[in-house]
Amino acid sequence: MSNTDISVDYEAFRREVRDFARLSCPPALREAVCSNQKLGRKEFSAWQKILFARGWAAPGWPRAEGGTGWDLRQRYIFEEAMAQLDCPPQYHHGIGHIGPVLLHFGTPEQKRRFLPGILDGTHWWCQGYSEPAAGSDLASLKTRAVRDGDAYVVDGQKIWTSHAHEADIMYTLVRTSTEAKKQDGISLLLIPLDTPGISIRPIKTIDGWHHVNEVFLDNVRVPAENLLGQEGQGWRCAKFLLDRERLSPATVPRLARLLDQVGELAAAEQARHAATRDLSSLAERLLTAQAEVRAASEMLLSAIDEEMRGSLRAAKASALKLYCSELGQRIIEIAFDAIGPDRVRRFIPMRDMGDAPTGAEWIHNYLFFRSRTIAGGTTEVQKNVIARELFGA
Amino acid sequence: MSFQTVPMFPGDLYDAASRFASQAAAAAPGPSSAQVRGQQWSKVLEMGWPAVLVPQAQGGAGGTLPDLAAIVEATARQSLNLPIIERCAVAPALLSALPQERARVLLEQVAAGEADLACAVQPDLLRGLDALAGPDGSWELEGTITLDMSLAASHTLVHVPAAQALLVLEAAQMPPPAMRYRSVDGRELADIALRRVRVPASQLLGSGAQVQPAVDKALDLGALMSAAEVVGALGALIEQTIAYLKTRTQFGVHLSTFQALRHRVVEMYVQYESASGLVARIVHDGVEKGQLASRDVSLAKAYLGKVGRFGAEAAIQLHGGMGMTEELLSARLAQRMLSCEFEYGDRFSHLTRLVDRGLAHSAQELHDEPVPA
């Protein structure tokens, strides 16, 4: 858990991280973040390397394991500075997902093999969880792993695997038993993506970017030492993070920064077309979003305090996540409305234009943000989870 | 028997267009290629759709607005990305409204399927456009236009507001695109830079004070048809979403049993009935009065902008992860509905027009009843 070190000088810490953010982010990276372009392994790894050099590779990990040992409030201050100064976010699958699971469930050998590459950004992970028939009902997954001597033989299919096309290894939920309750038959297997029998097919998403893939596994032999935890413990590993890392300190600061940018865009578009296209009604939406971002900030700060005291209720953490998903969609929709006529048609250039922003990034982002209420648990499912706590049933 | 929305303009033409669209989509599923669109357009010409709104005296079918609206509504259901509104509504309407002989000749060629007209008339697709008259009656054209290049065109109508002129360019006169794009809904568009392009006098279709009103009428028609397209697409989307929820199971049950999802579909349906009623009424009023009321068209476009956005976002959400993929017809229909808002003016430009021209009146006046002073 986080340190509650009451002698932390948060103001000095804020100055320190802001100085770092100002001085350490290469201009090309800052430009990509600032123009809301899609970031991939190249950008995330470059930033992870810089953080690693500073000793800040893992803000949420214990110091003994290569982490910073910061408390939640410090992690928030860090994320706020990174967002305000247009530094890249950290890619979450390594540092945020499989890393902590390895720390808790991994053998010393697995930690030795995998943690360094996560920390310095040289080894790239993706998540093999969902299947075509197992989305919201993930526990019904069917990808099978059968023990054969010193290996597991894996057959099946994963879907929505973000960045599988550029990853080295996939942490994968597989079914090792069909006997018990379905959750108890699931194991967590670490599958290198260059193993024979794996094919990756890109999925074309409506946002015009390439993030997700289908991963087909056909008779894939995975060494038994790549099993993380015990057989049948996979579901518990997956739930581990949901129960522990209930707050994401990065989301609210990123939304605040996005709103600032959207405000500037709306003003620019209004100035360009005022005579034929009056955008003054966007003002109400922008101001409402400002209030909502401040409300989200307060919700997050109070949730951080409660989490550090051990009194945070799950419903509040879920409510904040839900609120931010929908708020993000409302904010980016203002940009979509502002610049729509210009870039909905002239969306994807059919010739490589290099990295210079065109304004179409707003359109890509508006469409991408539609998945904020679908990916990682649909809002419908999340509302049911919250309702069960509110209603006691 | 699965649920089907009731179309605004049912009848033989709707059925024929619907059949064509289904067959076209079945033959070439997914986002279409230029070659596929070319084949589809050959069938469109065979069916005489560009001639529907051309008067019989000019060799057309002498059809009515509901006839074309039926075609637009039916084909919208498959997201075919064919420029039906541009070529079968806007181009004929524009040419019909101009008195010049050359306009009439070109209109007859359109009706006979001998000319295929792209249009550079939507104001936000024209940038820095001007035409300087030469001593021999020719024009020198300058500026940038953005064209839908999804289908080859034999001619392009170009409105030059600064010169109060409507010109026609032949395919051979068009410079190659400075930049090509893919639009959100998968069409191919191009920015074309016109640098001192000389256009002979014979290619002037209209000049002076008569041009702007003709363009406005054609744009109103385009706007209303794009509203009809959104209604058609929304109807298809509701049917597909119901079918998806009834087949998809999670946690051992069909998604259609979840109240939150059922209610969202109901909301889509309520929007469909209200939007289809409104658009159908404005089309029929246009027939009765012999012309479209600009105010009604702008109201419809402003409203359908919101309806289209709501329907698209709901359909994506209700299809879960699949709703984010281009493989799914519903997701492509959602992209199309989002894009339709920006054709012939989005809701902000129509609201601006309504306010500026003092056209924002009370809802009561929509029913043509005298309002007590």
Side-chain angles (χ1 to χ4, degrees), chain B residues 262-281:
Chain B
R262 293 165 77 88
H263 286 192
R264 196 89 180 257
V265 173
V266 168
E267 287 162 7
M268 288 170 81
Y269 169 68
V270 170
Q271 296 261 289
Y272 174 82
E273 291 290 5
S274 68
S276 63
L278 178 66
V279 171
R281 163 55 47 204

Side-chain angles (χ1 to χ4, degrees), chain A residues 329-348:
Chain A
Q329 289 179 335
R330 285 196 294 278
I331 291 172
I332 198 70
E333 188 158 5
I334 298 169
F336 183 71
D337 278 334
I339 203 169
D342 202 34
R343 294 326 300 203
V344 163
R345 295 179 183 108
R346 288 148 71 243
F347 180 41
I348 300 177

Side-chain angles (χ1 to χ4, degrees), chain A residues 127-386:
Chain A
Q127 179 188 83
Y129 278 17
S130 298
E131 297 178 0
S136 297
D137 185 9
L138 185 58
S140 65
L141 66 90
K142 292 200 189 64
T143 295
R144 197 82 169 81
V146 178
R147 186 69 186 252
D148 177 31
D150 59 358
Y152 285 94
V153 180
V154 184
D155 280 278
Q157 183 192 349
K158 294 296 179 184
I159 198 171
W160 316 131
T161 354
S162 294
H163 294 264
H165 58 289
E166 36 180 30
D168 299 310
I169 185 165
M170 182 169 71
Y171 61 94
T172 317
L173 288 179
V174 295
R175 183 159 299 287
T176 39
S177 165
T178 48
E179 281 162 48
K181 188 171 82 145
K182 54 187 187 178
Q183 282 89 340
D184 295 339
I186 293 173
S187 303
L188 183 55
L189 204 52
L190 310 178
I191 305 180
L193 287 171
D194 59 1
T195 311
I198 296 180
S199 50
I200 297 172
R201 186 183 84 91
I203 295 174
K204 279 189 162 169
T205 43
I206 58 173
D207 62 354
W209 279 332
H210 173 215
H211 325 252
V212 291
N213 303 273
E214 285 181 291
V215 179
F216 298 91
L217 302 119
D218 181 18
N219 231 22
V220 178
R221 292 191 70 86
V222 182
E225 56 259 33
N226 283 24
L227 179 72
L228 182 45
Q230 314 277 21
E231 261 192 39
Q233 226 183 8
W235 192 253
R236 195 177 143 214
C237 291
K239 286 272 166 227
F240 169 75
L241 272 162
L242 288 176
D243 295 337
R244 263 184 41 127
E245 290 268 322
R246 298 189 294 178
L247 298 175
S248 158
T251 310
V252 174
R254 294 282 168 185
L255 285 183
R257 178 72 183 118
L258 183 66
L259 180 56
D260 281 345
Q261 293 178 316
V262 172
E264 287 167 13
L265 175 76
E269 290 300 307
Q270 169 71 331
R272 285 213 296 157
H273 304 291
T276 52
R277 192 175 177 251
D278 183 0
L279 294 179
S280 51
S281 64
L282 293 184
E284 187 196 347
R285 288 161 66 188
L286 285 165
L287 290 168
T288 304
Q290 262 186 46
E292 290 172 328
V293 164
R294 285 180 67 177
S297 277
E298 295 309 321
M299 226 196 287
L300 174 62
L301 289 168
S302 65
I304 286 172
D305 281 345
E306 287 155 24
E307 182 74 316
M308 286 169 73
R309 284 198 303 270
S311 64
L312 175 66
R313 45 183 350 152
K316 179 164 173 174
S318 296
L320 176 58
K321 213 188 233 179
L322 195 65
Y323 188 68
C324 287
S325 301
E326 295 181 342
L327 176 54
Q329 289 179 335
R330 285 196 294 278
I331 291 172
I332 198 70
E333 188 158 5
I334 298 169
F336 183 71
D337 278 334
I339 203 169
D342 202 34
R343 294 326 300 203
V344 163
R345 295 179 183 108
R346 288 148 71 243
F347 180 41
I348 300 177
M350 283 163 74
R351 184 176 79 217
D352 187 7
M353 298 292 286
D355 293 327
T358 60
E361 297 80 18
W362 297 110
I363 314 299
H364 286 286
N365 275 290
Y366 163 74
L367 293 164
F368 173 57
F369 271 54
R370 296 323 301 165
S371 68
R372 288 281 172 99
T373 45
I374 299 172
T378 64
T379 52
E380 290 81 7
V381 167
Q382 292 206 28
K383 285 177 184 176
N384 277 347
V385 169
I386 297 171

